[in-house]
Amino acid sequence: MKINTGTSYISFRTKLVAAFMLTILPIILLGMISASKSANAIKATTASATIQTMEQTNRYLDLLLWNIESTSLQIAQSQAFLGLSSNTGTSGNGSNVAEVESILNNVKSSSTFISDILVLTQSGQVISTGGYSVNGMSLDAFKESNFYKKADRVNGGIVWLGSHPELDKYSSAKDSQYSLYATRLIKGKLSGDAEILILIDIKLDFIKDLLENIKLGSGGEVHLVSPDVRDISVFAGNGKAAANNVQVPDMAFFKKIINGTSLNGSDYIEYSANNYLMTYSRLGTTGYVLIGLLPDSTLYSASRSIALTTILLVVLAVLVAIALGIFIAFHTGKVLNVVTVSADQAAKGDLTVEIPSERKDEFGILAHSISKMIYDMRQLIRSATSFTHSVVSSTGVVSNTVTHVSNISNEIMQVVRQIAEGANKQSSGTEAATFTILELISKMKTVADSTEKIENLSNQSLNLAQNGSASIRKLSAECSIAADVTGEMISDIRLLKEYSKDIGKLVRGIHSISEQTNLLALNAAIEAAHAGDAGLGFSVIAEEIRKLADRSVTSVLKAENIIKLVNSKITDTSRNASSAENMLKVQNEALSETISAFDSVSSVMDAFNAEVYDIKTKTSDMEQHKEDAIKAISEISAISQETAASTQELSASIDDQDLRINLLVSYVSELDNTSAKLSDSLGRFKT
């Protein structure tokens, strides 16, 4: 039987390592899913936290602005302030002005976020808490300004804006120290004309500090955009704040926010050539918008560390699985490879191979059993080869002897024919009787000599036939021993097959244990699920046990396939051994037939010797009575006739003997051919 080792052959090592690698695929998949879900969860959590932070800041700013509105309303409703309003057209009520200045200074000093308070009256009075130079300043001078027009439209309400360039030229500071401001225009109740303008500036540093406290993460930006599109921005990580930065107001997403009706929201946008999470919140009805920008790189920074950790764990698991698979595959595959190579060499006829193995498990028993089987076959082939050589040698001797006997028989046949011719001639007349009798006597002497030679050769042939029969019987006995050895070898192979079945039972037991372990792991996982958070750790352990049980089942299935392959090999070997046993049986039958043939040859040679002895006796008698034969010439004719009849009988006997000798030659030739075939069959084995 030829083993297929073509391109489709996959080694046991490769299958075992592949099986270990397959167990890693769920871990890789779990890592990818976990990394993806954690990234999404972290992103969602970060976005939610950012929105909450922005909402908290929005509420704080809303409260701050409400406080400013309340302060401006308190100032407008104070008696001193109402005195300014009622004295429109007069310029000399200094007590009211001083009292208003005192109120404004008290409000500013008690506040941590008010930069300056400015009051302009229609009568030309200008009161400032120190942030502006009032010289040359009047209410009429600002009636065309943006903040005046907006305050005029709200009829006594408050207006929030981000910049007042018309007033900045009166500022006592070189740089703008305010971030936003509130303005309220008070009109006369009867006339409806503008009488007093109140303007409150909010400190720039205060707003910057407030925005910087919004911790959006690395690369994050916070923008506070006023209704007149002044952008106060803070960039996380460097503490810088940029005023009058109009980049955000110019962006499409800002215009979308302004045109929308939602008070707050979030979206993913492209900003500064990068992807950002944008969150916004409107500050009530002030028109201010608080915007937070957080880059995706910050959102995914935590998930990247989780992904990196997951990748490292997966790589470690892969390396461990590969190392373990290679270790087991190397030691197991080494034995299987040695067994396979040795069995293949034995199948090709090389019985000198041995299978060294120091393993103490089933593979070691398998290697030892196959080694013993090859050793027994080697001894059997050696014995059979030796017996075959003996048979070939004996058949050669027998063949030569039979050929020689056949030649002698032919010579005897010729002599007998000559005797018959002489006897016929003697009966034709008495004139040549004397000469014929003398010639006959001479011929009889020759016949006597030839008969003696024939007797010697016949005895030698008989001895050779007996020796050949003894050799054949010895060969038959040895072949019987070889058949017994083959029977023992078949018994050993059957015992080896039983061992293989026992190994299969053990593997099936392991398979059953793995399934029970898998079931126990499933039950443990169910119980852990019932236990809730307390059983979470045990659920992970149960899951790992179940995976281990699954891997054990896979390995057991691979082992069952290997055992099936070994059983197939054992069955093939048993079949070959049975074929050898049948061959030995056929050989024993041929030897039995050869023994029968040799016995027949011996019987024929015994009869032949008896005939030769008779001829020898008669020729001796004729030699002793030659003188009587000469005297009794008258009786020659009758004697010649009797001689002719005897020669005819002798000729018939010789013909029968020749026929039997030819039959013996065919038997010897058949035995020689059978021995040659057996020798060729045994010659393919290397012992």
Side-chain angles (χ1 to χ4, degrees):
M1 180 179 178
K2 185 176 180 181
I3 300 174
N4 182 16
T5 57
T7 56
S8 61
Y9 174 75
I10 301 177
S11 66
F12 176 74
R13 296 182 184 180
T14 303
K15 292 180 179 178
L16 189 57
V17 173
F20 275 93
M21 289 300 298
L22 287 176
T23 61
I24 300 302
L25 292 179
I27 298 177
I28 296 175
L29 183 61
L30 177 61
M32 294 174 61
I33 294 174
S34 299
S36 177
K37 288 188 175 180
S38 63
N40 293 332
I42 291 173
K43 184 176 180 180
T45 302
T46 304
S48 177
T50 301
I51 292 172
Q52 291 179 3
T53 302
M54 296 293 290
E55 288 179 351
Q56 291 176 358
T57 305
N58 177 69
R59 286 193 293 269
Y60 183 80
L61 285 173
D62 208 9
L63 181 61
L64 174 67
L65 299 183
W66 177 83
N67 193 336
I68 297 297
E69 292 180 5
S70 299
T71 301
S72 66
L73 185 59
Q74 290 175 4
I75 294 173
Q77 292 177 350
S78 65
Q79 292 297 326
F81 201 85
L82 292 175
L84 288 177
S85 175
S86 62
N87 289 321
T88 309
T90 65
S91 58
N93 195 341
S95 61
N96 287 336
V97 173
E99 188 176 354
V100 170
E101 287 180 352
S102 177
I103 292 172
L104 297 181
N105 287 325
N106 289 334
V107 171
K108 176 184 175 182
S109 61
S110 62
S111 174
T112 59
F113 47 82
I114 295 177
S115 172
D116 195 11
I117 302 175
L118 178 66
V119 175
L120 299 172
T121 67
Q122 185 64 38
S123 60
Q125 294 169 332
V126 179
I127 303 172
S128 173
T129 56
Y132 296 97
S133 175
V134 298
N135 294 327
M137 190 182 296
S138 65
L139 180 60
D140 292 337
F142 300 110
K143 285 185 177 182
E144 297 300 324
S145 64
N146 182 47
F147 63 85
Y148 184 91
K149 292 179 179 180
K150 288 183 177 294
D152 186 38
R153 285 197 293 266
V154 297
N155 295 320
I158 194 165
V159 175
W160 289 95
L161 295 172
S163 62
H164 42 60
E166 299 86 354
L167 285 174
D168 290 343
K169 62 183 179 180
Y170 297 100
S171 176
S172 58
K174 294 182 179 180
D175 298 324
S176 176
Q177 297 297 318
Y178 66 95
S179 57
L180 60 143
Y181 66 96
T183 181
R184 185 189 296 270
L185 184 61
I186 300 173
K187 298 181 179 180
K189 294 181 180 181
L190 298 178
S191 63
D193 296 329
E195 294 183 354
I196 302 174
L197 177 68
I198 303 174
L199 189 144
I200 303 175
D201 288 334
I202 306 301
K203 292 180 180 178
L204 178 61
D205 292 337
F206 178 82
I207 297 300
K208 286 168 52 179
D209 292 339
L210 179 64
L211 298 181
E212 288 174 358
N213 287 329
I214 302 176
K215 305 298 183 181
L216 294 184
S218 178
E221 299 181 15
V222 181
H223 296 260
L224 182 61
V225 183
S226 67
D228 53 349
V229 296
R230 179 185 178 185
D231 184 7
I232 301 174
S233 58
V234 173
F235 302 92
N238 53 22
K240 293 181 179 179
N244 300 320
N245 187 344
V246 295
Q247 287 186 351
V248 168
D250 291 338
M251 301 297 291
F253 71 85
F254 179 76
K255 296 178 181 178
K256 183 178 179 181
I257 293 172
I258 296 300
N259 295 328
T261 58
S262 299
L263 297 179
N264 52 50
S266 63
D267 194 8
Y268 290 94
I269 62 169
E270 184 176 352
Y271 175 73
S272 298
N274 292 308
N275 293 325
Y276 277 73
L277 170 64
M278 183 274 297
T279 60
Y280 71 92
S281 180
R282 298 176 185 270
L283 299 183
T285 58
T286 62
Y288 271 85
V289 180
L290 182 64
I291 298 175
L293 297 173
L294 185 63
D296 276 356
S297 59
T298 302
L299 291 175
Y300 287 109
S301 60
S303 61
R304 280 198 296 269
S305 63
I306 295 176
L308 180 60
T309 303
T310 303
I311 291 172
L312 291 177
L313 291 177
V314 169
V315 170
L316 180 61
V318 170
L319 293 177
V320 171
I322 291 175
L324 183 60
I326 291 175
F327 176 78
I328 296 176
F330 176 77
H331 289 278
T332 304
K334 183 178 180 181
V335 176
L336 293 177
N337 186 50
V338 172
V339 171
T340 303
V341 172
S342 301
D344 185 60
Q345 291 179 353
K348 292 179 181 178
D350 186 4
L351 300 180
T352 61
V353 297
E354 294 182 356
I355 306 176
S357 177
E358 298 179 358
R359 297 178 67 96
K360 304 299 183 182
D361 54 8
E362 290 80 0
F363 290 104
I365 295 174
L366 175 64
H368 177 72
S369 299
I370 294 178
S371 295
K372 186 176 184 302
M373 178 187 68
I374 294 175
Y375 174 77
D376 292 340
M377 290 181 64
R378 183 166 63 244
Q379 296 300 113
L380 173 64
I381 296 301
R382 286 177 178 174
S383 299
T385 302
S386 177
F387 297 153
T388 303
H389 290 165
S390 298
V391 171
V392 172
S393 177
S394 299
T395 53
V397 174
V398 172
S399 178
N400 293 332
T401 302
V402 171
T403 301
H404 188 59
V405 170
S406 178
N407 293 333
I408 293 175
S409 297
N410 291 330
E411 291 178 1
I412 293 174
M413 177 64 72
Q414 292 176 2
V415 172
V416 170
R417 288 174 180 173
Q418 291 175 1
I419 292 173
E421 290 176 358
N424 290 328
K425 290 179 180 179
Q426 286 177 0
S427 63
S428 64
T430 40
E431 290 183 352
T434 303
F435 177 79
T436 303
I437 290 173
L438 293 175
E439 185 179 3
L440 178 60
I441 291 172
S442 177
K443 294 292 184 180
M444 291 301 295
K445 186 176 181 181
T446 302
V447 169
D449 295 336
S450 298
T451 302
E452 186 175 0
K453 291 180 181 179
I454 290 171
E455 184 180 15
N456 293 333
L457 291 173
S458 177
N459 290 330
Q460 292 177 3
S461 298
L462 182 60
N463 292 332
L464 289 174
Q466 292 175 349
N467 292 334
S469 179
S471 297
I472 294 298
R473 285 187 173 87
K474 182 179 179 181
L475 177 60
S476 178
E478 294 295 335
C479 286
S480 297
I481 295 173
D484 294 338
V485 172
T486 303
E488 293 177 358
M489 181 183 68
I490 292 174
S491 298
D492 292 339
I493 291 173
R494 290 171 180 169
L495 183 59
L496 179 61
K497 191 171 184 179
E498 292 298 323
Y499 288 156
S500 179
K501 290 180 179 179
D502 292 339
I503 294 173
K505 292 178 180 178
L506 292 175
V507 171
R508 287 191 292 273
I510 295 172
H511 186 274
S512 178
I513 292 171
S514 299
E515 290 181 345
Q516 293 178 4
T517 303
N518 195 354
L519 182 59
L520 289 175
L522 179 60
N523 291 334
I526 294 172
E527 292 300 327
H530 289 164
D533 295 338
L536 184 61
F538 187 73
S539 175
V540 174
I541 297 174
E543 179 63 17
E544 293 300 322
I545 292 174
R546 186 187 66 78
K547 292 180 180 178
L548 180 61
D550 290 341
R551 293 197 294 269
S552 300
V553 170
T554 303
S555 300
V556 165
L557 292 177
K558 298 296 181 180
E560 286 181 348
N561 292 333
I562 295 172
I563 291 172
K564 289 180 181 177
L565 180 61
V566 172
N567 286 335
S568 177
K569 290 290 185 179
I570 292 173
T571 302
D572 293 341
T573 306
S574 177
R575 189 184 300 111
N576 294 333
S578 298
S579 299
E581 185 180 23
N582 294 332
M583 186 182 296
L584 289 174
K585 289 180 180 179
V586 173
Q587 182 179 354
N588 284 333
E589 293 175 359
L591 290 175
S592 298
E593 293 177 359
T594 304
I595 291 172
S596 298
F598 271 101
D599 291 338
S600 299
V601 170
S602 296
S603 299
V604 171
M605 294 306 297
D606 287 337
F608 180 76
N609 283 340
E611 294 292 336
V612 170
Y613 181 79
D614 186 49
I615 294 172
K616 183 179 180 181
T617 301
K618 289 181 179 179
T619 54
S620 297
D621 292 339
M622 291 176 66
E623 181 68 20
Q624 293 176 1
H625 297 89
K626 62 182 180 178
E627 295 296 331
D628 295 335
I630 295 173
K631 292 178 181 180
I633 195 171
S634 58
E635 299 175 357
I636 291 176
S637 179
I639 295 172
S640 297
Q641 291 178 356
E642 294 176 358
T643 301
S646 298
T647 54
Q648 288 178 356
E649 294 176 357
L650 179 61
S651 177
S653 299
I654 292 174
D655 288 337
D656 183 68
Q657 180 182 355
D658 186 69
L659 180 62
R660 294 181 179 275
I661 288 174
N662 290 333
L663 181 62
L664 178 61
V665 169
S666 65
Y667 286 154
V668 171
S669 177
E670 182 180 355
L671 178 61
D672 185 68
N673 292 333
T674 303
S675 300
K677 292 180 180 179
L678 179 60
S679 180
D680 292 338
S681 298
L682 296 175
R684 64 185 287 267
F685 294 99
K686 181 180 179 182
T687 59

